[in-house]
Structures are given as structure tokens and as C-alpha cells.
Amino acid sequence: MQQNRKPTVLIVDDDPDMRGIVGSVVSLLECDICEAADGEEALKQYEQAHPDLVILDIMMPGIHGTEVCRRIKATE
């Protein structure tokens, strides 16, 4: 993480209400937030934003959360 940069958190959940709840809590920590509604979007957001933390729902349509996690880990 670069100095003087807010940490970035990627919130991935197919439920928009859940993304909103988690985002509200994360925003209290003064982090930048990016969101994704599915696994494919999560992988794109990860590549673009290079977040410091990913909060990832496992049960999602399309690319399952565990597969998203595996792909993210493979990029490190």
C-alpha cells in the first residue's frame, strides 16, 4: 500500500442490500470502496482497483465465490 492512500476494499455480493450494509460499515473505516455484483465483475474490479481487502460472498450465480478467490490468489 502506498503512503497517504486510503485502503481500498472490494465488496462482492449478488445482493445489493448486503453490499450496502457492508459498504456502510467499511466506510466508517475511511476506506475507498468498490463493489461487484457477481464473480466476473469482481475479477474485473480486482484487476482495475488492486484492492487491499476483498469481502467476497461465496454463493453467487455464475462464477462461484471460491473460484473468484482461487483466481485472485493465482494473480499474486
Side-chain angles (χ1 to χ4, degrees):
M1 185 172 71
Q2 297 174 353
Q3 288 188 356
N4 301 324
R5 182 181 74 85
K6 289 183 183 180
T8 301
V9 178
L10 172 57
I11 301 169
V12 185
D13 199 305
D14 58 322
D15 181 345
D17 292 333
M18 186 59 70
R19 287 194 315 272
I21 291 167
V22 174
S24 295
V25 173
V26 170
S27 68
L28 295 173
L29 302 172
E30 298 183 8
C31 296
D32 288 331
I33 299 170
C34 52
E35 298 182 7
D38 59 43
E40 187 172 323
E41 186 179 348
L43 293 170
K44 289 177 187 174
Q45 286 285 347
Y46 185 84
E47 187 175 310
Q48 292 174 353
H50 304 286
D52 300 291
L53 174 69
V54 178
I55 300 174
L56 177 63
D57 181 21
I58 297 298
M59 300 294 291
M60 293 187 299
I63 303 174
H64 197 268
T66 54
E67 178 62 16
V68 172
C69 185
R70 186 190 68 73
R71 291 184 191 183
I72 287 173
K73 188 172 179 173
T75 67
E76 297 297 316

Coordinates of all heavy atoms in Angstrom, one line a residue:
M1 N 0.8 -1.2 0.0 CA 0.0 0.0 0.0 C 0.9 1.2 0.0 O 1.8 1.3 0.8 CB -0.9 0.0 1.2 CG -1.9 1.1 1.3 SD -3.1 1.0 2.6 CE -2.2 1.3 4.0
Q2 N 0.6 2.2 -0.9 CA 1.3 3.4 -0.9 C 1.0 4.3 0.3 O -0.2 4.3 0.8 CB 0.9 4.2 -2.2 CG 1.3 3.5 -3.5 CD 0.8 4.2 -4.7 OE1 0.1 5.2 -4.6 NE2 1.2 3.7 -5.8
Q3 N 1.9 5.1 0.7 CA 1.6 6.0 1.8 C 0.6 7.1 1.4 O 0.6 7.4 0.2 CB 2.9 6.7 2.3 CG 3.8 5.7 3.0 CD 5.0 6.4 3.7 OE1 5.2 7.6 3.5 NE2 5.8 5.7 4.4
N4 N -0.1 7.6 2.4 CA -1.1 8.7 2.1 C -2.2 8.2 1.2 O -2.9 9.1 0.6 CB -0.4 9.9 1.6 CG 0.6 10.5 2.6 OD1 0.4 10.4 3.8 ND2 1.7 11.0 2.1
R5 N -2.4 6.9 1.0 CA -3.5 6.4 0.2 C -4.5 5.7 1.1 O -4.0 4.9 1.9 CB -3.0 5.5 -0.9 CG -4.1 5.0 -1.8 CD -3.5 4.1 -2.9 NE -3.1 2.8 -2.4 CZ -4.0 1.7 -2.2 NH1 -5.2 1.9 -2.5 NH2 -3.5 0.6 -1.8
K6 N -5.7 5.9 1.0 CA -6.7 5.2 1.7 C -6.7 3.7 1.3 O -6.5 3.4 0.1 CB -8.1 5.7 1.5 CG -8.4 7.0 2.1 CD -9.9 7.4 1.8 CE -10.3 8.7 2.3 NZ -11.7 9.0 2.0
P7 N -6.9 2.8 2.2 CA -7.0 1.4 1.8 C -8.3 1.2 0.9 O -9.3 1.9 1.1 CB -7.2 0.6 3.1 CG -6.8 1.5 4.1 CD -7.0 2.9 3.6
T8 N -8.2 0.3 0.0 CA -9.4 0.1 -0.9 C -9.9 -1.3 -0.6 O -9.2 -2.3 -0.4 CB -9.0 0.1 -2.4 OG1 -8.4 1.4 -2.7 CG2 -10.1 -0.2 -3.3
V9 N -11.3 -1.4 -0.5 CA -12.0 -2.6 -0.2 C -12.9 -2.9 -1.3 O -13.7 -2.1 -1.7 CB -12.7 -2.5 1.2 CG1 -13.5 -3.8 1.5 CG2 -11.8 -2.2 2.3
L10 N -12.8 -4.1 -1.8 CA -13.8 -4.6 -2.8 C -14.8 -5.5 -2.2 O -14.5 -6.5 -1.5 CB -13.0 -5.4 -3.9 CG -13.9 -6.2 -4.9 CD1 -14.8 -5.2 -5.7 CD2 -13.0 -7.0 -5.9
I11 N -16.1 -5.1 -2.3 CA -17.2 -5.8 -1.7 C -17.9 -6.5 -2.8 O -18.4 -5.9 -3.8 CB -18.2 -4.9 -1.0 CG1 -17.4 -4.1 0.1 CG2 -19.3 -5.6 -0.4 CD1 -18.2 -2.9 0.7
V12 N -18.0 -7.9 -2.7 CA -18.6 -8.7 -3.8 C -19.8 -9.5 -3.2 O -19.6 -10.3 -2.3 CB -17.6 -9.7 -4.4 CG1 -18.2 -10.4 -5.6 CG2 -16.3 -9.0 -4.8
D13 N -21.0 -9.2 -3.7 CA -22.2 -9.9 -3.3 C -23.2 -9.6 -4.3 O -23.4 -8.5 -4.8 CB -22.6 -9.4 -1.9 CG -23.5 -10.3 -1.2 OD1 -24.6 -10.7 -1.8 OD2 -23.2 -10.7 0.0
D14 N -24.0 -10.7 -4.6 CA -25.1 -10.5 -5.6 C -26.3 -9.8 -5.0 O -27.2 -9.4 -5.7 CB -25.5 -11.9 -6.2 CG -25.9 -12.9 -5.2 OD1 -25.3 -12.9 -4.1 OD2 -26.9 -13.6 -5.5
D15 N -26.3 -9.6 -3.7 CA -27.4 -8.9 -3.0 C -27.1 -7.5 -2.8 O -26.2 -7.2 -2.0 CB -27.7 -9.6 -1.7 CG -28.9 -9.0 -0.9 OD1 -29.3 -7.9 -1.2 OD2 -29.3 -9.7 0.0
P16 N -27.7 -6.6 -3.5 CA -27.4 -5.1 -3.4 C -27.6 -4.6 -2.0 O -26.8 -3.7 -1.5 CB -28.3 -4.4 -4.4 CG -29.3 -5.4 -4.7 CD -28.8 -6.8 -4.5
D17 N -28.6 -5.1 -1.2 CA -28.8 -4.7 0.1 C -27.6 -5.1 1.0 O -27.1 -4.3 1.9 CB -30.0 -5.3 0.7 CG -31.3 -4.7 0.1 OD1 -31.3 -3.6 -0.4 OD2 -32.3 -5.4 0.0
M18 N -27.1 -6.3 0.8 CA -25.9 -6.7 1.6 C -24.7 -5.9 1.3 O -23.9 -5.5 2.1 CB -25.6 -8.2 1.4 CG -24.5 -8.8 2.2 SD -24.8 -8.6 4.0 CE -26.2 -9.8 4.2
R19 N -24.5 -5.6 0.0 CA -23.3 -4.7 -0.4 C -23.5 -3.4 0.3 O -22.5 -2.8 0.7 CB -23.3 -4.5 -1.9 CG -22.8 -5.7 -2.7 CD -22.4 -5.4 -4.1 NE -23.3 -4.6 -4.9 CZ -24.3 -5.1 -5.6 NH1 -24.6 -6.4 -5.6 NH2 -25.1 -4.2 -6.2
G20 N -24.7 -2.8 0.4 CA -24.9 -1.6 1.0 C -24.6 -1.6 2.5 O -24.0 -0.7 3.0
I21 N -25.0 -2.7 3.2 CA -24.8 -2.8 4.6 C -23.3 -2.9 4.9 O -22.7 -2.2 5.7 CB -25.5 -4.0 5.2 CG1 -27.0 -3.8 5.1 CG2 -25.1 -4.4 6.6 CD1 -27.9 -5.0 5.4
V22 N -22.6 -3.8 4.2 CA -21.2 -4.0 4.3 C -20.5 -2.7 4.0 O -19.5 -2.2 4.7 CB -20.7 -5.2 3.5 CG1 -19.1 -5.3 3.6 CG2 -21.3 -6.5 4.0
G23 N -20.9 -2.0 2.9 CA -20.2 -0.8 2.5 C -20.4 0.3 3.5 O -19.5 1.1 3.8
S24 N -21.5 0.4 4.2 CA -21.7 1.3 5.3 C -20.8 1.1 6.4 O -20.2 2.1 7.0 CB -23.2 1.2 5.8 OG -24.1 1.6 4.9
V25 N -20.5 -0.1 6.8 CA -19.6 -0.4 7.9 C -18.2 -0.1 7.4 O -17.4 0.6 8.2 CB -19.7 -1.9 8.3 CG1 -18.6 -2.2 9.3 CG2 -21.1 -2.1 8.9
V26 N -17.8 -0.5 6.2 CA -16.4 -0.3 5.7 C -16.2 1.2 5.6 O -15.1 1.7 5.9 CB -16.2 -1.0 4.4 CG1 -14.9 -0.6 3.7 CG2 -16.3 -2.5 4.6
S27 N -17.2 2.0 5.2 CA -17.0 3.4 5.0 C -16.6 4.1 6.3 O -15.9 5.2 6.4 CB -18.2 4.1 4.4 OG -19.3 4.1 5.2
L28 N -17.1 3.6 7.5 CA -16.7 4.1 8.8 C -15.2 4.0 9.0 O -14.7 4.7 9.8 CB -17.5 3.4 9.9 CG -19.0 3.5 9.9 CD1 -19.6 2.6 10.9 CD2 -19.4 5.0 10.1
L29 N -14.6 3.1 8.3 CA -13.1 2.9 8.5 C -12.3 3.8 7.6 O -11.1 3.7 7.5 CB -12.7 1.4 8.2 CG -13.4 0.4 9.1 CD1 -13.1 -1.0 8.6 CD2 -13.0 0.6 10.6
E30 N -13.0 4.7 6.9 CA -12.4 5.6 5.9 C -11.6 4.9 4.8 O -10.5 5.3 4.5 CB -11.6 6.7 6.7 CG -12.4 7.5 7.6 CD -11.6 8.6 8.3 OE1 -10.4 8.8 8.0 OE2 -12.2 9.2 9.3
C31 N -12.2 3.9 4.3 CA -11.6 3.2 3.1 C -12.3 3.6 1.9 O -13.5 4.0 1.9 CB -11.8 1.7 3.3 SG -10.9 1.0 4.8
D32 N -11.6 3.5 0.7 CA -12.3 3.6 -0.6 C -13.0 2.3 -0.8 O -12.4 1.2 -0.5 CB -11.3 3.9 -1.7 CG -10.7 5.3 -1.6 OD1 -11.4 6.2 -1.1 OD2 -9.6 5.5 -2.0
I33 N -14.1 2.3 -1.4 CA -14.9 1.1 -1.7 C -15.2 0.9 -3.1 O -15.6 1.9 -3.8 CB -16.3 1.2 -0.9 CG1 -16.0 1.3 0.6 CG2 -17.2 0.0 -1.2 CD1 -17.3 1.6 1.4
C34 N -15.1 -0.3 -3.6 CA -15.6 -0.6 -4.9 C -16.4 -1.9 -4.8 O -16.3 -2.6 -3.8 CB -14.5 -0.8 -6.0 SG -13.1 -1.9 -5.5
E35 N -17.4 -2.0 -5.6 CA -18.3 -3.1 -5.5 C -18.5 -3.9 -6.8 O -18.2 -3.4 -7.9 CB -19.7 -2.5 -5.2 CG -19.8 -1.8 -3.9 CD -21.2 -1.3 -3.6 OE1 -22.2 -1.7 -4.3 OE2 -21.4 -0.6 -2.6
A36 N -18.9 -5.2 -6.6 CA -19.2 -6.0 -7.7 C -20.4 -6.9 -7.3 O -20.5 -7.3 -6.2 CB -18.0 -6.9 -8.1
A37 N -21.2 -7.2 -8.3 CA -22.5 -7.9 -8.1 C -22.3 -9.4 -8.5 O -23.2 -10.2 -8.2 CB -23.6 -7.3 -8.9
D38 N -21.2 -9.8 -9.1 CA -21.0 -11.2 -9.5 C -19.5 -11.4 -9.6 O -18.7 -10.5 -9.6 CB -21.8 -11.5 -10.8 CG -21.4 -10.7 -12.0 OD1 -20.2 -10.4 -12.2 OD2 -22.3 -10.3 -12.7
G39 N -19.2 -12.7 -9.9 CA -17.8 -13.1 -9.9 C -17.0 -12.5 -11.1 O -15.9 -12.1 -10.9
E40 N -17.6 -12.4 -12.2 CA -16.9 -11.8 -13.4 C -16.6 -10.4 -13.2 O -15.5 -9.9 -13.4 CB -17.8 -12.0 -14.6 CG -17.1 -11.6 -15.9 CD -17.9 -12.0 -17.1 OE1 -18.6 -13.0 -17.2 OE2 -17.9 -11.2 -18.1
E41 N -17.6 -9.6 -12.6 CA -17.4 -8.2 -12.3 C -16.3 -8.1 -11.2 O -15.5 -7.1 -11.3 CB -18.7 -7.6 -11.9 CG -18.6 -6.1 -11.7 CD -20.0 -5.5 -11.3 OE1 -21.0 -6.2 -11.4 OE2 -19.9 -4.3 -10.9
A42 N -16.3 -9.0 -10.3 CA -15.4 -8.9 -9.2 C -13.9 -9.1 -9.7 O -13.0 -8.3 -9.3 CB -15.6 -10.0 -8.2
L43 N -13.7 -10.0 -10.7 CA -12.4 -10.1 -11.2 C -12.0 -8.9 -12.0 O -10.8 -8.5 -11.9 CB -12.4 -11.4 -12.1 CG -12.5 -12.7 -11.4 CD1 -12.8 -13.8 -12.4 CD2 -11.4 -13.0 -10.4
K44 N -12.9 -8.3 -12.7 CA -12.6 -7.0 -13.4 C -12.2 -5.9 -12.4 O -11.2 -5.2 -12.6 CB -13.7 -6.6 -14.3 CG -13.9 -7.5 -15.5 CD -15.1 -7.0 -16.3 CE -15.4 -8.0 -17.4 NZ -16.7 -7.7 -18.1
Q45 N -13.0 -5.8 -11.4 CA -12.8 -4.7 -10.4 C -11.4 -5.0 -9.7 O -10.7 -4.0 -9.4 CB -13.9 -4.7 -9.3 CG -15.2 -4.1 -9.8 CD -15.1 -2.6 -9.9 OE1 -14.2 -2.0 -9.4 NE2 -16.1 -2.0 -10.6
Y46 N -11.1 -6.2 -9.4 CA -9.9 -6.6 -8.7 C -8.7 -6.1 -9.6 O -7.7 -5.5 -9.1 CB -9.8 -8.1 -8.4 CG -8.6 -8.4 -7.7 CD1 -8.5 -8.3 -6.3 CD2 -7.4 -8.8 -8.3 CE1 -7.4 -8.5 -5.5 CE2 -6.2 -9.1 -7.6 CZ -6.2 -9.0 -6.2 OH -5.1 -9.2 -5.5
E47 N -8.8 -6.4 -10.9 CA -7.7 -6.1 -11.8 C -7.5 -4.5 -11.9 O -6.4 -4.0 -12.0 CB -8.0 -6.7 -13.2 CG -6.8 -6.5 -14.2 CD -7.1 -7.2 -15.5 OE1 -7.5 -8.4 -15.4 OE2 -6.9 -6.5 -16.5
Q48 N -8.7 -3.8 -11.9 CA -8.6 -2.4 -12.1 C -8.2 -1.6 -10.8 O -7.4 -0.7 -10.8 CB -10.0 -1.8 -12.5 CG -10.3 -2.2 -13.9 CD -11.7 -1.8 -14.3 OE1 -12.5 -1.3 -13.5 NE2 -12.1 -2.0 -15.6
A49 N -8.8 -2.1 -9.6 CA -8.6 -1.3 -8.4 C -7.5 -1.8 -7.5 O -7.0 -1.0 -6.7 CB -9.9 -1.4 -7.6
H50 N -7.0 -3.0 -7.7 CA -6.0 -3.6 -6.9 C -6.3 -3.4 -5.4 O -5.5 -2.7 -4.7 CB -4.6 -3.0 -7.2 CG -4.2 -3.2 -8.6 ND1 -3.9 -4.5 -9.1 CD2 -4.2 -2.4 -9.7 CE1 -3.6 -4.3 -10.4 NE2 -3.8 -3.1 -10.8
P51 N -7.5 -3.9 -4.9 CA -7.9 -3.6 -3.5 C -6.9 -4.2 -2.5 O -6.3 -5.2 -2.8 CB -9.3 -4.2 -3.5 CG -9.2 -5.3 -4.5 CD -8.4 -4.8 -5.6
D52 N -7.0 -3.6 -1.3 CA -6.2 -4.1 -0.2 C -6.9 -5.3 0.5 O -6.3 -6.1 1.1 CB -5.9 -3.0 0.8 CG -5.1 -1.9 0.1 OD1 -4.0 -2.1 -0.2 OD2 -5.7 -0.8 -0.1
L53 N -8.2 -5.3 0.4 CA -9.1 -6.3 1.0 C -10.2 -6.6 0.1 O -10.8 -5.7 -0.5 CB -9.6 -5.8 2.4 CG -10.6 -6.6 3.1 CD1 -9.9 -7.9 3.6 CD2 -11.2 -5.9 4.3
V54 N -10.6 -7.9 0.0 CA -11.8 -8.3 -0.7 C -12.7 -9.0 0.3 O -12.3 -10.0 0.9 CB -11.4 -9.3 -1.9 CG1 -12.7 -9.8 -2.6 CG2 -10.5 -8.7 -2.8
I55 N -14.0 -8.5 0.3 CA -15.0 -9.2 1.1 C -15.9 -9.9 0.1 O -16.6 -9.2 -0.7 CB -15.8 -8.1 2.0 CG1 -14.8 -7.4 2.9 CG2 -16.9 -8.8 2.7 CD1 -15.5 -6.3 3.7
L56 N -15.9 -11.2 0.1 CA -16.4 -12.0 -1.0 C -17.5 -12.9 -0.6 O -17.2 -13.8 0.3 CB -15.2 -12.7 -1.6 CG -15.5 -13.7 -2.8 CD1 -16.1 -13.0 -4.0 CD2 -14.2 -14.4 -3.2
D57 N -18.6 -12.8 -1.2 CA -19.7 -13.8 -1.0 C -19.4 -15.0 -1.7 O -18.8 -15.0 -2.8 CB -21.0 -13.2 -1.5 CG -22.2 -14.1 -1.3 OD1 -22.2 -15.0 -0.4 OD2 -23.2 -13.9 -2.0
I58 N -19.6 -16.2 -1.1 CA -19.2 -17.5 -1.8 C -20.4 -17.9 -2.7 O -20.1 -18.3 -3.8 CB -19.0 -18.5 -0.7 CG1 -17.7 -18.1 0.1 CG2 -18.7 -19.9 -1.3 CD1 -16.5 -18.0 -0.6
M59 N -21.6 -17.8 -2.2 CA -22.7 -18.3 -3.0 C -23.3 -17.3 -4.0 O -24.1 -16.4 -3.6 CB -23.9 -18.8 -2.1 CG -23.4 -19.9 -1.1 SD -23.1 -21.4 -1.9 CE -24.7 -21.9 -2.5
M60 N -22.7 -17.3 -5.2 CA -23.2 -16.3 -6.2 C -23.5 -17.0 -7.5 O -22.9 -18.1 -7.8 CB -22.1 -15.3 -6.4 CG -21.8 -14.4 -5.3 SD -20.6 -13.0 -5.7 CE -19.2 -14.0 -6.2
P61 N -24.4 -16.4 -8.3 CA -24.6 -17.0 -9.6 C -23.4 -16.8 -10.5 O -22.6 -15.9 -10.3 CB -25.8 -16.3 -10.1 CG -25.8 -15.0 -9.4 CD -25.2 -15.3 -8.1
G62 N -23.3 -17.6 -11.5 CA -22.1 -17.5 -12.5 C -20.9 -18.1 -11.8 O -20.9 -19.2 -11.4
I63 N -19.8 -17.3 -11.8 CA -18.6 -17.7 -11.2 C -18.8 -17.8 -9.7 O -19.0 -16.7 -9.0 CB -17.4 -16.8 -11.6 CG1 -17.3 -16.7 -13.1 CG2 -16.1 -17.3 -11.0 CD1 -16.2 -15.7 -13.5
H64 N -18.6 -18.9 -9.1 CA -18.8 -19.1 -7.6 C -17.7 -18.4 -6.9 O -16.6 -18.2 -7.4 CB -18.7 -20.6 -7.4 CG -19.2 -21.1 -6.0 ND1 -18.4 -21.1 -4.9 CD2 -20.4 -21.4 -5.7 CE1 -19.1 -21.5 -3.9 NE2 -20.4 -21.7 -4.3
G65 N -18.0 -17.9 -5.7 CA -17.0 -17.2 -4.9 C -15.7 -17.8 -4.7 O -14.6 -17.2 -4.6
T66 N -15.7 -19.2 -4.5 CA -14.5 -19.9 -4.2 C -13.6 -19.9 -5.5 O -12.4 -19.8 -5.4 CB -14.7 -21.3 -3.8 OG1 -15.5 -22.0 -4.7 CG2 -15.3 -21.4 -2.4
E67 N -14.2 -19.9 -6.7 CA -13.4 -19.8 -7.9 C -12.9 -18.4 -8.1 O -11.7 -18.2 -8.5 CB -14.3 -20.1 -9.1 CG -13.6 -20.0 -10.5 CD -12.4 -20.9 -10.6 OE1 -12.2 -21.9 -9.9 OE2 -11.6 -20.7 -11.6
V68 N -13.6 -17.4 -7.7 CA -13.1 -16.0 -7.7 C -11.9 -15.9 -6.8 O -10.9 -15.3 -7.2 CB -14.2 -15.0 -7.3 CG1 -13.6 -13.6 -7.2 CG2 -15.4 -15.0 -8.3
C69 N -12.0 -16.4 -5.7 CA -10.9 -16.4 -4.7 C -9.7 -17.1 -5.3 O -8.6 -16.6 -5.2 CB -11.3 -17.0 -3.4 SG -10.1 -16.9 -2.1
R70 N -9.9 -18.2 -5.9 CA -8.8 -19.0 -6.5 C -8.1 -18.2 -7.5 O -6.8 -18.1 -7.6 CB -9.3 -20.3 -7.0 CG -8.2 -21.2 -7.5 CD -8.7 -22.4 -8.3 NE -9.3 -22.1 -9.6 CZ -8.6 -21.7 -10.7 NH1 -7.3 -21.6 -10.6 NH2 -9.2 -21.3 -11.8
R71 N -8.9 -17.5 -8.4 CA -8.3 -16.8 -9.5 C -7.5 -15.5 -9.0 O -6.5 -15.2 -9.5 CB -9.4 -16.3 -10.5 CG -9.9 -17.5 -11.3 CD -10.9 -17.0 -12.3 NE -11.7 -18.1 -12.9 CZ -12.6 -18.0 -13.8 NH1 -12.8 -16.8 -14.3 NH2 -13.2 -19.0 -14.3
I72 N -8.1 -14.9 -8.0 CA -7.4 -13.7 -7.4 C -6.1 -14.2 -6.8 O -5.0 -13.6 -7.0 CB -8.3 -13.0 -6.3 CG1 -9.4 -12.3 -7.0 CG2 -7.5 -12.1 -5.4 CD1 -10.4 -11.7 -6.1
K73 N -6.1 -15.3 -6.0 CA -4.9 -15.8 -5.4 C -3.8 -16.1 -6.5 O -2.7 -15.9 -6.2 CB -5.2 -17.0 -4.5 CG -4.1 -17.4 -3.7 CD -4.4 -18.5 -2.7 CE -3.2 -18.9 -2.0 NZ -3.5 -19.8 -0.9
A74 N -4.3 -16.6 -7.6 CA -3.3 -17.0 -8.7 C -2.6 -15.8 -9.3 O -1.6 -16.0 -9.9 CB -4.1 -17.8 -9.7
T75 N -3.2 -14.6 -9.1 CA -2.5 -13.4 -9.7 C -1.5 -12.9 -8.8 O -0.7 -12.0 -9.2 CB -3.6 -12.3 -10.0 OG1 -4.1 -11.8 -8.7 CG2 -4.7 -12.8 -10.9
E76 N -1.5 -13.3 -7.5 CA -0.5 -12.7 -6.5 C 0.8 -13.4 -6.7 O 1.1 -14.5 -7.0 CB -1.0 -12.9 -5.1 CG -2.3 -12.1 -4.9 CD -2.2 -10.6 -5.0 OE1 -1.2 -10.1 -4.5 OE2 -3.0 -10.0 -5.7

